[in-house]
Amino acid sequence: MQMEPSVQEMQMELSKEKNLKREMESQLFESHIEVQRCRDMIKRLLQEKLEIEQELRGYKQLKDGEMQQLQCKINDALSNAERLLEAKSKAEDRWFAAEESLAEAQRVRSEMQHQLAATTKTTQLLLNTKHDELVHVKMEFEGDHRR
């Protein structure tokens, strides 16, 4: 025979789920900001790459050393863009994980609310039954006592 969790236990669990939900929402917001920051940086780096490539086309007659320096700038910009793309991907992964955790927390919260409502209803019915029994016993006692 399985015992139902007490109302206090269910309220504590519900409180934990609310805290988890707040934490997940906070992580979701932080991930969104991080994704936007990565997008902005990628746009800036891609613009920088385009400018460097245009500069390269204009200086095809430059010495080999100067060309190599410009190529290093392009390579650095591309490396930075790749790192930012990886960071963006990780931020999006965290975003999706936070969304999933939030959905799970909401599902558990809903389940706990249903259990709490059912337990409250059962408790009220038991209290009403016990009250009726006590009134009945009291009436019997008073009837016996009068005789």
Side-chain angles (χ1 to χ4, degrees):
M1 179 172 179
Q2 184 180 1
M3 294 186 61
E4 290 187 13
S6 71
V7 172
Q8 185 178 12
E9 290 172 332
M10 290 172 56
Q11 287 173 335
M12 287 176 57
E13 187 66 28
L14 189 59
S15 176
K16 288 178 187 176
E17 293 303 325
K18 285 180 183 178
N19 289 338
L20 179 62
K21 178 186 176 195
R22 275 189 230 109
E23 184 180 317
M24 292 297 112
E25 287 173 338
S26 174
Q27 288 179 4
L28 194 64
F29 181 73
E30 289 172 13
S31 294
H32 175 70
I33 290 172
E34 191 173 333
V35 166
Q36 190 57 47
R37 188 172 46 242
C38 288
R39 286 180 182 154
D40 293 344
M41 291 175 80
I42 288 169
K43 286 178 186 176
R44 183 182 55 78
L45 287 171
L46 290 174
Q47 181 61 39
E48 183 179 323
K49 176 185 176 265
L50 289 175
E51 291 171 7
I52 291 170
E53 287 174 343
Q54 288 173 349
E55 189 178 329
L56 259 179
R57 282 188 220 103
Y59 294 109
K60 286 212 179 221
Q61 304 303 318
L62 293 177
K63 295 178 190 174
D64 290 342
E66 293 171 335
M67 292 292 282
Q68 287 176 348
Q69 287 178 349
L70 290 174
Q71 188 61 47
C72 286
K73 283 184 180 180
I74 290 173
N75 291 341
D76 289 345
L78 288 173
S79 292
N80 288 338
E82 288 173 0
R83 283 194 299 278
L84 285 171
L85 284 172
E86 289 174 2
K88 176 186 172 265
S89 176
K90 288 177 183 176
E92 285 175 337
D93 290 346
R94 289 199 337 249
W95 173 287
F96 293 128
E99 282 182 329
E100 290 174 7
S101 294
L102 179 60
E104 176 63 14
Q106 288 171 337
R107 184 195 65 74
V108 169
R109 176 180 174 219
S110 176
E111 184 179 307
M112 295 303 288
Q113 286 174 332
H114 290 301
Q115 288 179 0
L116 181 59
T119 301
T120 302
K121 185 176 181 179
T122 301
T123 302
Q124 187 60 47
L125 289 171
L126 285 171
L127 285 172
N128 290 345
T129 302
K130 290 298 178 186
H131 179 265
D132 292 346
E133 289 175 11
L134 286 172
V135 167
H136 181 72
V137 168
K138 179 182 174 190
M139 290 173 62
E140 284 181 6
F141 176 75
E142 287 174 353
D144 289 343
H145 188 66
R146 288 186 191 154
R147 289 186 210 166

